[in-house]
């Protein structure tokens, strides 16, 4: 059968847009629309790989991983090495699952108008049908993700109230070992949050030098320091228990925290 480059790029642009959207759901990220469209277009261009000679599984996997890394960088940005690796891994897994499902359909039914080479899928079908099919798939995966999150992830969700002076903020938080920070003097609990949250709860008090703390931390890229700020009070509701913290420290995350705006060290709740 003939494979038309324009239809190939258009089809894979649409498919990649929804794969990026699905990956965003799993990552709890909301990339800007222009980033998603640009990344999807890049995926469409990468689909021209179908015209190259058939390659082995290992080479195909390496190429797909490199493509996923480029699309991930375009859609989600870099952030840091750990964040970039996680974004790429999720996007690669979603793409791998999609390619595997399409190969299974092709091997089982050999549908007319469908071709696969180098793990790139080509459909000689109506773009409107493709958009409708991809939309249904997107909402199906979204429903499944929410169902799994409700059943397995809810145990790590907590509610946090932070107070500084006359300002009070209520936040959705998560109890996670991603926050293993400890006060070097062992006197205070440390919560990781975003700079915008710190600005909102502290106001002018953020510029009070007596409240500032430099927090040593270790990341995949080496040792470093996070800006920390001592507030007056915090309350954490977790598993129907209320935990009180006097003069805890808010450490400013170097990357966005998505839906949960504050990370609680599980050791603080023992």
């Amino acid at each position: 059968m003939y494979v038309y480059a324009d239809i190939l790029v258009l089809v894979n642009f649409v498919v990649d847009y929804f794969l990026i959207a699905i990956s965003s759901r799993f990552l709890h990220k909301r990339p800007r629309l222009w980033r998603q469209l640009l990344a999807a277009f890049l995926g469409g261009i990468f689909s021209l790989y179908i015209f190259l000679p058939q390659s082995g599984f290992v080479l195909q996997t390496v190429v797909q991983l490199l493509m996923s890394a480029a699309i991930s960088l375009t859609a989600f940005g870099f952030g840091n090495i750990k964040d970039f690796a996680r974004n790429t891994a999720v996007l690669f897994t979603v793409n791998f699952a999609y390619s595997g499902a399409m190969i299974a359909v092709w091997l089982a039914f050999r549908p007319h108008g469908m071709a696969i080479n180098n793990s790139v899928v080509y459909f000689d079908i109506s773009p409107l049908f493709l958009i409708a099919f991809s939309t249904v798939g997107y909402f199906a995966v979204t429903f499944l993700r929410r169902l799994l999150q409700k059943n397995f992830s809810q145990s790590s969700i907590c509610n946090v109230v932070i107070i500084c002076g006359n300002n009070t903020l209520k936040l959705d938080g998560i109890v996670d070992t991603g926050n293993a920070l400890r006060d070097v003097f062992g006197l205070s609990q440390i919560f990781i949050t975003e700079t915008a949250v710190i600005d909102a709860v502290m106001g002018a008090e953020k510029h009070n030098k007596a409240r500032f703390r430099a927090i040593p931390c270790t990341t995949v890229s080496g040792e470093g320091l996070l800006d920390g700020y001592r507030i007056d009070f915090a309350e954490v509701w977790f598993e129907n228990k209320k935990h009180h913290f006097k003069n805890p420290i808010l450490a400013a995350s170097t990357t966005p925290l998505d839906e949960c705006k504050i990370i609680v060290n599980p050791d603080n709740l023992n």
Side-chain angles (χ1 to χ4, degrees):
M1 64 175 292
Y2 291 102
V3 175
Y4 298 95
D6 54 347
I7 296 178
L8 173 70
V9 172
L10 175 61
V11 165
N12 280 274
F13 167 80
V14 174
V15 169
D16 284 324
Y17 175 81
F18 283 100
L19 294 180
I20 292 167
I22 291 171
S23 300
S24 300
R25 289 285 186 172
F26 281 110
L27 290 165
H28 302 287
K29 291 182 178 292
R30 296 179 182 178
R32 294 182 180 275
L33 178 61
W34 70 267
R35 277 188 169 276
Q36 296 183 67
L37 293 175
L38 183 59
F41 176 74
L42 188 62
I45 296 300
F46 281 149
S47 68
L48 296 174
Y49 181 54
I50 197 175
F51 292 113
L52 296 180
Q54 178 76 33
S55 56
F57 175 77
V58 174
L59 181 57
Q60 287 184 35
T61 302
V62 171
V63 171
Q64 290 288 339
L65 186 58
L66 292 175
M67 290 180 179
S68 296
I71 294 172
S72 169
L73 183 63
T74 304
F76 306 116
F78 184 78
N80 55 48
I81 293 178
K82 183 178 180 180
D83 199 40
F84 173 66
R86 178 170 174 261
N87 296 342
T88 300
V90 170
L91 184 61
F92 174 78
T93 301
V94 170
N95 275 275
F96 191 82
Y98 166 76
S99 297
M102 292 300 100
I103 290 174
V105 170
W106 184 68
L107 291 175
F109 304 106
R110 299 282 179 170
H112 178 73
M114 180 179 179
I116 297 179
N117 186 48
N118 291 327
S119 297
V120 178
V121 182
Y122 173 82
F123 296 97
D124 187 13
I125 60 176
S126 165
L128 290 178
F129 176 81
L130 177 65
I131 292 173
F133 182 79
S134 299
T135 301
V136 171
Y138 168 75
F139 283 110
V141 171
T142 299
F143 173 77
L144 178 62
R145 182 194 68 84
R146 288 181 176 176
L147 182 63
L148 291 174
Q149 184 181 48
K150 181 179 179 180
N151 289 338
F152 300 109
S153 300
Q154 193 65 30
S155 60
S156 64
I157 302 299
C158 64
N159 299 110
V160 183
V161 177
I162 52 177
I163 301 170
C164 185
N166 295 323
N167 297 327
T168 300
L169 281 183
K170 296 181 179 179
L171 306 168
D172 292 327
I174 185 170
V175 179
D176 193 86
T177 54
N179 176 5
L181 297 179
R182 297 179 180 274
D183 180 14
V184 292
F185 300 107
L187 301 176
S188 303
Q189 291 77 25
I190 300 176
F191 302 92
I192 298 177
T193 188
E194 296 179 341
T195 300
V197 171
I198 297 174
D199 291 339
V201 74
M202 297 195 71
E205 278 297 301
K206 183 180 178 182
H207 304 291
N208 183 345
K209 293 183 179 180
R211 290 187 179 270
F212 179 79
R213 297 289 186 275
I215 309 298
C217 66
T218 301
T219 67
V220 292
S221 57
E223 302 290 332
L225 293 173
L226 295 179
D227 291 340
Y229 302 89
R230 188 179 297 281
I231 60 173
D232 298 330
F233 194 74
E235 294 178 351
V236 176
W237 282 91
F238 180 64
E239 294 183 342
N240 297 320
K241 294 182 181 179
K242 189 175 183 179
H243 304 265
H244 302 270
F245 302 94
K246 185 176 181 181
N247 298 130
I249 296 174
L250 301 181
S253 172
T254 56
T255 57
L257 298 184
D258 306 317
E259 295 178 3
C260 292
K261 294 301 182 182
I262 191 164
I263 305 176
V264 180
N265 185 336
D267 291 342
N268 293 341
L269 305 180
N270 293 334

